[in-house]
Amino acid sequence: MKVLCFESARNISSDLMVRLEELARPRGIQQSPFWFQTLEQTCTTPDDQIFHLCTVDDDRVPRAYLPLCRPARPRFFKGARELHALSSPYTTEFRPLLPRNSTVTAPLLASLKRYCGSFDLIGFEALVEDDPAYGVTVAALKAAGFLVLDYKGFENWYEPIKQPDFHQYWARRPGRLRNTYTRKSRALERQGNLRIDIFPDCKDLERLLDDYETVYAQSWKEAEPYPEFTPALVRRSAIAGCLRMGVLYLDDKPLAADLWLVSAGRATIFKLAYDDDAKKLSPGTVLTAAMMRYVLEQDQVVEVDFGRGPDTYKKDWLSHLRHRRGLIAFNRTPIGLTAAALHMGKARLKKLLKPNA
């Protein structure tokens, strides 16, 4: 086994990139190299350092992949030298490509100091607790000598889909949601010509993207922290076949826009917005129902989730709640131990530092 380190996704050879995409495909779009390349290009600063670590066998077949960022400004502890899994406010799940085989994961973790320099802690967020990679990551970090703190992250509403039938799904929704949809869709039709375009059936991606950004600018939402991210993601996920993008029009004026991602049998409601002036017509509700019908009937997904956040309206659409997890792995440096004492508490830290703890 050999560990390779690339300081930019642009430096990864095309053949290795293809193999990494194949390795990531069962875990979903947010583990694919093109996702991390998009984050690197649109959500990092020139002062951040990027490391794409990859363990390969003698035939250069990748066995593990871990993209990391050394931020110019520490996030967890002032003055600390930090590493973080390459993520952003847009990341809704992170499933590290670390196999259970210690002969693969151990060399990768042992190479961190060699390639990334000295550091005091490593941070992970948006981990999927029921994914095998979560337990593998915790075990591998502990085996490498780190003090590991896991914590509850953001809320994620979701719904397992036993049968991809929209009518069955819709019958399980609260009556107020179904009634709102019926009343508002009729009201929209009375107002003028109602039309919903959904990519990939609608091939005019650039027009849909322009209309999405128009709606977003006229919505209640704050400006994007990284405005280049969404356009880049839309174009790349369209090429990868993962994009489902819908826009609702009334007399050719865009009033609502949804951006969903579909991969590995799952759909994530990634972005949605509606024109604030049309709020009383509930165009967002009408569009989201159409998008849900599409991913159930066309994509036959087995799960739908609502990304990040505790917004109360989400439980009308999806019935289950879980939390993504976070990890902080503290190195046994003076600053690392000080940060561990702050985050864990001194009593817990002392217990962890005891032999055989």
Side-chain angles (χ1 to χ4, degrees), residues 44-61:
T44 62
T45 73
D47 294 327
D48 296 334
Q49 292 179 279
I50 306 299
F51 308 96
H52 296 265
L53 296 176
C54 182
T55 303
V56 298
D57 62 19
D58 293 339
D59 296 321
R60 283 182 63 85
V61 175

Side-chain angles (χ1 to χ4, degrees), residues 67-219:
L68 297 168
C69 174
R70 181 192 288 274
R73 296 182 178 180
R75 303 173 190 173
F76 287 121
F77 191 77
K78 185 177 181 180
R81 298 162 299 181
E82 297 184 3
L83 288 175
H84 292 267
L86 184 55
S87 60
S88 77
Y90 304 105
T91 301
T92 67
E93 63 175 29
F94 181 60
R95 301 170 185 259
L97 295 172
L98 297 178
R100 294 181 182 274
N101 189 340
S102 61
T103 62
V104 176
T105 56
L108 188 146
L109 291 174
S111 71
L112 290 177
K113 185 174 181 180
R114 174 185 174 188
Y115 290 115
C116 307
S118 299
F119 60 93
D120 302 302
L121 61 87
I122 308 175
F124 296 82
E125 70 156 352
L127 291 164
V128 180
E129 189 171 18
D130 61 358
D131 186 86
Y134 177 77
V136 170
T137 303
V138 173
L141 290 167
K142 288 182 177 179
F146 294 97
L147 304 172
V148 179
L149 170 68
D150 74 310
Y151 61 92
K152 184 183 291 187
F154 58 83
E155 293 183 2
N156 176 242
W157 285 93
Y158 73 104
E159 175 128 350
I161 306 296
K162 294 182 179 179
Q163 291 192 3
D165 183 291
F166 177 76
H167 296 291
Q168 291 185 23
Y169 161 82
W170 196 238
R172 297 194 297 269
R173 307 280 60 84
R176 63 179 178 276
L177 177 62
R178 290 184 281 117
N179 291 336
T180 296
Y181 170 81
T182 300
R183 289 185 294 104
K184 300 304 183 178
S185 57
R186 290 173 179 171
L188 283 163
E189 289 171 347
R190 289 194 297 268
Q191 291 274 342
N193 180 31
L194 173 64
R195 185 178 93 250
I196 294 175
D197 289 347
I198 298 177
F199 181 89
D201 289 356
C202 174
K203 304 299 182 184
D204 196 347
L205 179 63
E206 292 301 318
R207 187 253 296 171
L208 290 177
L209 178 56
D210 287 343
D211 291 341
Y212 165 86
E213 293 188 319
T214 296
V215 170
Y216 195 94
Q218 295 173 344
S219 73

